[in-house]
Amino acid sequence: MSDVPGIELNNGATIPQLGFGVFQIDPSDTADTVQQAFDAGYRHIDTAQMYGNEAEVGEAIAKSGLPRDELWITTKCNNSNHGYDDAQRALDESLQKLGLDRVDLYLIHWPLPGKDLYVETWKGFEKAHADGKARTIGVSNFQPHHLDRLLEETDTVPAINQIELHPHMQQAALRSYHERHGIRTEAWSPIGQGRGLLDAPELGEIAQAHGKSPAQVVLRWHIQIGNIIFPKSVTPERIRENMAIFDFELTHEDMQKIEGMEKAERLGPDPDKFDR
Ligand code: NAD
């Protein structure tokens, strides 16, 4: 089908390492854009209740005619739906919008430490998994101390933690926590939202040496350190460009140069402070 490698998760499922993110894609553009992604070879879509475009992702899935077992569909429980019952109700709504009877991955979008309901929410996720509505369950934007509580107070280790991660925010400590506990890392805003980062001279030099674009270099860096990624674009050429990262390899020196770009600089909120 495509060159995208699979990554095995702690529940035995295999997720395509490259997917397509639909955050900030207008609902009126979503079905066509997702169709373009399918045409380019993407089989993994990352959406969320919060993005307001699950129904249009569902429309694209239905129109594509692709076999369900070739697709990996992720959605996320909205911040307004924390709690044992609410999390399960929210998944039922998402499934209805997506036109599916099961998602491949259901994530707690943010821990919301001020609400302190993420452990109860996780127990609701365990129930949704047991009921067959979520093949895999995971979290997003969790810090080690949030994960510690899930490990101590519940029966299921999250398969995935989806976190902000790009060359200016490399999350070494969290990645090593994940490794110790068999949790896979998903990187959101993998190319730093296409702003500033891609103009860095280091990336320009590496890109030129490989005959690739800075975006492709950064995406390839993620692949080589084992991250699962789903860059977003509404531009057909970029959708294809972001998929064309499996025909070259960054050298050890390239990887070290990118490692040297760390600034511990977030584009999004600090999960310990974000409570809305
Ligand atoms: P991204 O890093 O994927 O950047 C996307 C932007 O980069 C595009 O809007 C475009 O302007 C630009 N771009 C795309 N391809 C390019 C290319 N080849 N060359 C130059 N510029 C290019 O940022 P993102 O959309 O924030 O993150 C990707 C996905 O991660 C989202 O769509 C969403 O699915 C997920 N996400 C999750 C969370 C979370 O809290 N869990 C937060 C943000 C994003």
Side-chain angles (χ1 to χ4, degrees), residues 112-266:
L112 310 180
K115 279 195 183 171
D116 196 19
L117 283 171
Y118 60 87
V119 175
E120 279 311 299
T121 306
W122 187 245
K123 290 179 181 168
F125 271 50
E126 289 179 306
K127 176 73 165 67
H129 172 65
D131 290 345
K133 294 177 184 176
R135 181 180 176 199
T136 307
I137 52 175
V139 297
S140 178
N141 300 301
F142 274 46
Q143 300 279 42
H145 62 103
H146 305 129
L147 292 165
D148 282 342
R149 281 196 58 201
L150 299 190
L151 266 48
E152 281 157 19
E153 298 177 41
T154 76
D155 298 326
T156 313
V157 178
I160 280 178
N161 187 16
Q162 180 180 125
I163 54 173
E164 179 178 348
L165 203 174
H166 43 75
H168 286 167
M169 182 73 198
Q170 299 190 16
Q171 303 266 26
L174 200 39
R175 269 163 47 217
S176 104
Y177 179 104
H178 292 167
E179 217 159 283
R180 286 197 302 281
H181 295 282
I183 299 168
R184 293 292 191 174
T185 304
E186 288 194 337
W188 64 254
S189 295
I191 51 174
Q193 299 174 358
R195 299 195 245 130
L197 170 70
L198 297 180
D199 300 326
E202 297 95 319
L203 296 178
E205 281 164 30
I206 300 171
Q208 204 172 13
H210 291 279
K212 289 283 177 181
S213 69
Q216 288 173 317
V217 166
V218 174
L219 294 171
R220 180 71 209 179
W221 169 78
H222 282 286
I223 295 293
Q224 287 185 212
I225 61 173
N227 293 341
I228 299 155
I229 47 174
F230 23 82
K232 169 251 173 186
S233 175
V234 289
T235 312
E237 304 82 64
R238 283 178 169 175
I239 292 174
R240 288 192 293 273
E241 176 184 329
N242 295 343
M243 167 61 79
I245 57 170
F246 299 105
D247 56 356
F248 76 114
E249 196 161 345
L250 297 174
T251 64
H252 181 63
E253 290 72 32
D254 295 335
M255 296 296 286
Q256 279 188 318
K257 238 188 239 178
I258 299 174
E259 206 175 298
M261 293 175 67
E262 170 67 280
K263 291 184 178 175
E265 201 172 85
R266 284 186 192 279

